[in-house]
Amino acid sequence: MASTAITADTAAVFHLEEEHAHAEGGSTMLGFWLYLMSDCLIFAMLFAAFGVLGGNYAAGPAPKDLFDLGLVAVNTTMLLLSSITYGFAMLTMDKGRVAATQGWLAVTMLFGLAFLSIELSEFAHMIHEGATPQRSAFLSSFFTLVGTHGLHVTFGIVWMVTLMVQVARHGLIEANRRRLMCLSMFWHFLDVVWIGVFTFVYLMGTLR
Amino acid sequence: MSAHDHAGHDHAHGGAAHGSLKGYLIGFFLSVILTAIPFWMVMTGAIDNKQATAIIIMAFAVVQIVVHMIFFLHMNPASEGGWSMLALIFTVILVVIVLSGSLWVMYHLNANMMPGLHEMQQMP
């Protein structure tokens, strides 16, 4: 009886020592990084599907007939510019300049919107030409992969607007800084995925 | 254990590394070059050999991903006590297995299981 009491005591002390160290949000960045890695696996599956099915045109249009590389280059530039402007937003956030941070976030959002509108007009053009997702396995996997990336960008923009409202209301408090850092990782991660998309889908598709 | 705890404390207060203006500009400059060259190669057909072009643009993509990881995502072996890097390495291994495995297996399935029109015509 006495021995169990001692065991219970030591266990309680052990837990206290482990628990006291964590500040609020101390593990958020690592947790968000793990989420991004799992998101990376989703994209890996979609890339694999596109790699396997990307050559099956079913006598329909091939990448050469559909892709306008000039437009894709403009699109890539938009996303790259939005990455660097988000970087500037983080740098001004470090200095605590609220107005400048909001300004850079707005610029980033505009580049993101430009990316989305170019992508949507490209999709609309393809569908208008009869290159719908139902046309061939190549087009199904193309729309799934590029569409999933576009959906991520859309949610990134929604998140950005939300955070701009938060910063306008509460300023650059610790919680808002943490959220902005998470969105920073998300946004740069989308740019990394886009590198894979333009290389693997657009450039190598045109080469095929 | 105490050293690890200390690293955790630093992050809780100081946040992750944010990089500097110089770092962002270097990263941006490198990515512009690493993006422009593959587009130029494919759009102008600078190299006549398609396979060689494909290998080169893939190499450029890998380098650009590493550049983004270092200059934009601020990855380094020490961040979060090494756990971010460990998660990244694990993910990269899984991605490589998924991609190379799918492409390899399905390529052979296609090659062995689906006779083309040309071969069909020659069948008795």
Side-chain angles (χ1 to χ4, degrees):
Chain A
M1 194 59 198
S3 69
T4 42
I6 288 166
T7 327
D9 273 353
T10 42
V13 170
F14 174 75
H15 276 293
L16 275 175
E17 274 182 359
E18 283 294 300
E19 289 300 329
H20 82 100
H22 301 290
E24 188 208 338
S27 50
T28 304
M29 302 314 285
L30 179 59
F32 194 76
W33 180 252
L34 292 181
Y35 154 69
L36 284 183
M37 291 298 100
S38 70
D39 217 13
C40 192
L41 291 181
I42 293 179
F43 278 109
M45 305 298 160
L46 296 176
F47 271 112
F50 181 83
V52 169
L53 301 172
N56 302 354
Y57 309 130
K64 254 184 212 165
D65 316 318
L66 294 171
F67 296 160
D68 177 3
L69 281 188
L71 202 62
V72 180
V74 173
N75 227 354
T76 308
T77 314
M78 291 299 143
L79 212 54
L80 206 53
L81 283 171
S82 81
S83 248
I84 183 88
T85 54
Y86 202 105
F88 292 154
M90 296 304 285
L91 291 175
T92 47
M93 184 194 84
D94 278 349
K95 290 176 187 150
R97 290 159 57 193
V98 178
T101 309
Q102 295 278 53
W104 282 120
L105 283 177
V107 173
T108 310
M109 195 184 70
L110 286 181
F111 279 128
L113 285 174
F115 171 84
L116 271 184
S117 9
I118 293 173
E119 187 164 282
L120 284 177
S121 76
E122 188 200 10
F123 281 5
H125 181 68
M126 285 172 71
I127 289 171
H128 182 70
E129 285 190 340
T132 58
Q134 297 97 315
R135 181 63 191 84
S136 65
F138 152 64
L139 284 165
S140 303
S141 52
F142 168 82
F143 277 103
T144 314
L145 172 57
V146 183
T148 304
H149 179 269
L151 215 54
H152 275 78
V153 176
T154 312
F155 282 114
I157 289 172
V158 171
W159 190 1
M160 210 173 287
V161 174
T162 315
L163 283 187
M164 283 169 74
V165 173
Q166 287 277 335
V167 171
R169 279 196 178 171
H170 304 291
L172 289 171
I173 53 171
E174 189 59 36
N176 278 345
R177 285 171 189 260
R178 191 167 66 235
R179 291 165 189 152
L180 282 170
M181 272 153 59
C182 282
L183 181 56
S184 161
M185 280 164 46
F186 185 73
W187 199 256
H188 292 308
F189 168 76
L190 289 183
D191 206 7
V192 170
V193 174
W194 183 253
I195 298 170
V197 172
F198 80 71
T199 305
F200 206 62
V201 175
Y202 288 100
L203 293 181
M204 290 182 60
T206 311
L207 280 178
R208 256 203 241 246
Chain B
M1 192 60 206
S2 65
H4 179 229
D5 270 355
H6 185 66
H9 274 267
D10 281 353
H11 279 295
H13 295 300
H18 292 168
S20 58
L21 181 63
K22 199 180 150 202
Y24 277 113
L25 289 178
I26 292 173
F28 181 69
F29 182 67
L30 285 176
S31 0
V32 168
I33 295 173
L34 291 167
T35 306
I37 293 177
F39 269 99
W40 170 77
M41 280 181 71
V42 174
M43 286 169 88
T44 61
I47 297 179
D48 218 16
N49 188 342
K50 281 187 176 181
Q51 206 166 9
T53 313
I55 291 169
I56 292 171
I57 63 173
M58 274 170 81
F60 270 104
V62 171
V63 175
Q64 197 181 346
I65 287 173
V66 173
V67 165
H68 276 239
M69 287 278 173
I70 294 172
F71 290 102
F72 291 161
L73 284 163
H74 312 301
M75 280 303 290
N76 65 65
S79 64
E80 303 285 350
W83 286 106
S84 326
M85 188 56 98
L86 198 67
L88 177 65
I89 292 169
F90 177 62
T91 311
V92 168
I93 291 172
L94 284 185
V95 168
V96 168
I97 292 173
V98 166
L99 279 180
S100 61
S102 307
L103 293 178
W104 182 36
V105 169
M106 294 310 287
Y107 173 78
H108 282 278
L109 270 181
N110 271 340
N112 292 328
M113 304 282 288
M114 291 176 61
L117 200 58
H118 184 66
E119 294 161 73
M120 291 283 271
Q121 282 165 344
Q122 287 176 341
M123 281 179 181

